[in-house]
Amino acid sequence: MDFFDRVQSVRRRIQTACEQAQRNVSSVRLVGVTKYIGPVELAELYRAGVREFGENRLQVAKPKLEAARVNHWKDVTWHFIGQLQTNKVKEVLREFTWIHSLDRWPLALEVNKRAQELGLRVPCLLQINVSGEETKAGLAANEALSFLEAAHSLSHIQVCGLMTMAPRADVPEEIRYVFRGLRELRDHLQSAGHAGIQELSMGMSQDFEAAILEGATIVRIGQTLLPDR
Ligand SMILES: *Cc1c(COP(=O)(O)O)cnc(C)c1O
């Protein structure tokens, strides 16, 4: 299968999961994670219709950001999905529209400051460590509410949802509780008065269907979009 077939296949699987969950397919956005590929393959993904791309490291993203610029792709949205160092924030904000990995207060302050300088209001997701694994980045679920209340004072950040990474698992069913946990946290935050917390960025190649069944609004898919090598 080439990129085109891969994208079609992923879109069909998203559609099937949406039908199963009785959700509208337009309620799930596909972010193609391009960290494994170069600019030429990026162009193939673009030709196959993908318009939202995710990268987890600025350095790795650069040749592809450059390709998007050179090709004048005005309809592409970049999502920063990896751990973000404060000294990279300024450059990241010049290139990426979304930040999925807001996970600590000093980072929020820096994003707000740099966004102000650039005249931006940046859509951000709070990264939550639902599974509680020590190796995983993210706020604990019980820290989210106070973080959000404090973030109200940061007028150049718009927190519009939550993101999580599930642990590796042999079967997606094993980690469905992680996705359910993120959705329940979102619902809790909404009922605590934070109606703007809507997005759920969860689900990757191994588990995106389970994530959609639990309410994912953004799936981040890399591996499964790649052609066989
Ligand atoms: C790499 C990565 C993905 C995509 O993972 P695949 O298993 O290749 O689909 C999603 N989210 C984040 C944060 C990643 O770093």
Side-chain angles (χ1 to χ4, degrees):
M1 293 210 282
D2 60 13
F3 275 106
F4 190 84
D5 298 326
R6 286 287 179 188
V7 171
Q8 292 307 307
S9 156
V10 166
R11 289 214 188 274
R12 266 195 305 274
R13 287 171 61 187
I14 291 174
Q15 167 114 37
T16 304
C18 283
E19 281 163 13
Q20 217 182 324
Q22 301 189 302
R23 298 180 54 193
N24 195 312
V25 72
S26 65
S27 68
V28 179
R29 290 156 60 179
L30 168 63
V31 170
V33 176
T34 50
K35 65 189 182 195
Y36 315 102
I37 63 176
V40 174
E41 295 158 301
L42 176 78
E44 296 200 35
L45 271 186
Y46 182 86
R47 276 195 290 278
V50 181
R51 291 294 180 270
E52 303 201 63
F53 298 111
E55 287 277 349
N56 65 342
R57 291 176 57 202
L58 182 60
Q59 213 52 37
V60 173
K62 275 185 179 169
K64 290 154 276 180
L65 296 165
E66 182 57 23
R69 230 188 327 271
V70 169
N71 287 304
H72 303 289
W73 294 337
K74 299 276 185 243
D75 54 351
V76 158
T77 305
W78 289 94
H79 297 251
F80 194 86
I81 61 176
Q83 181 129 51
L84 180 51
Q85 293 167 266
T86 25
N87 63 0
K88 299 281 168 59
V89 167
K90 191 174 178 183
E91 217 180 333
V92 163
L93 291 187
R94 287 184 199 282
E95 305 281 3
F96 292 80
T97 303
W98 286 72
I99 309 265
H100 286 227
S101 45
L102 203 60
D103 62 355
R104 57 197 193 277
W105 187 247
L107 178 62
L109 290 177
E110 181 68 10
V111 171
N112 188 60
K113 178 177 151 200
R114 297 303 183 182
Q116 179 168 24
E117 287 171 9
L118 295 167
L120 300 172
R121 187 153 187 258
V122 181
C124 292
L125 307 178
L126 295 189
Q127 184 170 353
I128 307 292
N129 183 356
V130 177
S131 64
E133 284 177 292
E134 277 178 29
T135 54
K136 284 257 185 305
L139 297 164
N142 63 12
E143 295 171 321
L145 185 58
S146 54
F147 194 98
L148 258 189
E149 316 241 282
H152 265 310
S153 64
L154 308 179
S155 52
H156 293 271
I157 289 182
Q158 183 190 5
V159 185
C160 38
L162 308 175
M163 177 272 218
T164 200
M165 307 258 297
R168 291 275 150 203
D170 295 329
V171 267
E173 274 310 308
E174 273 175 35
I175 45 172
R176 215 167 132 168
Y177 80 94
V178 172
F179 303 135
R180 187 174 312 130
L182 199 69
R183 169 168 51 84
E184 287 170 354
L185 177 60
R186 180 201 55 191
D187 296 347
H188 167 70
L189 296 171
Q190 283 188 347
S191 55
H194 299 277
I197 305 300
Q198 294 181 352
E199 305 290 343
L200 292 174
S201 169
M202 58 189 194
M204 322 200 307
S205 291
Q206 65 162 4
D207 53 25
F208 68 90
E209 283 130 325
I212 289 170
L213 292 175
E214 292 295 346
T217 63
I218 302 175
V219 290
R220 312 178 306 266
I221 299 179
Q223 236 29 283
T224 294
L225 288 175
L226 303 186
D228 308 316
R229 298 188 184 229

